[in-house]
Amino acid sequence: GELQQIASEEDEEYVVEEIVNHRLDEDGEHEFEVKWAGFEVEENSWETFETVKSTIALDRYIERFPDLKEKYKEE
């Protein structure tokens, strides 16, 4: 299923539980495969950095990849 909406103040439905993979899109930007809390693995979706930034899941994920860590570590 397509998850169009990211959690907003009044709707906490979609919580990033874990990031399980990453890839580069055609523009050379990273996309991250998100496991959504409360959803099956089959519902995982590819999201942009903007979607997942400031999540604990992203912090955990980039710790494992020096190149990502260098690019995305909060200044």
Side-chain angles (χ1 to χ4, degrees):
E2 288 295 302
L3 295 178
Q4 298 299 350
Q5 187 173 357
I6 307 310
S8 60
E9 289 73 22
E10 72 279 351
D11 181 11
E12 290 298 309
E13 227 176 311
Y14 300 122
V15 177
V16 177
E17 180 180 311
E18 189 182 358
I19 293 172
V20 294
N21 205 352
H22 69 283
R23 66 185 181 190
L24 287 174
D25 68 14
E26 53 275 5
D27 299 320
E29 295 298 316
H30 284 105
E31 293 181 323
F32 298 89
E33 187 182 352
V34 173
K35 163 71 174 72
W36 299 98
F39 290 86
E40 297 300 315
V41 174
E42 293 78 42
E43 301 287 339
N44 285 8
S45 61
W46 288 95
E47 303 294 338
T48 63
F49 174 72
E50 285 300 311
T51 301
V52 299
K53 71 179 183 185
S54 311
T55 62
I56 294 165
L58 182 69
D59 290 343
R60 284 198 195 118
Y61 187 78
I62 63 176
E63 284 299 320
R64 296 159 44 201
F65 298 94
D67 56 324
L68 291 180
K69 190 173 173 181
E70 200 172 298
K71 180 167 183 179
Y72 294 120
K73 204 63 188 160
E74 299 294 329
E75 278 79 36

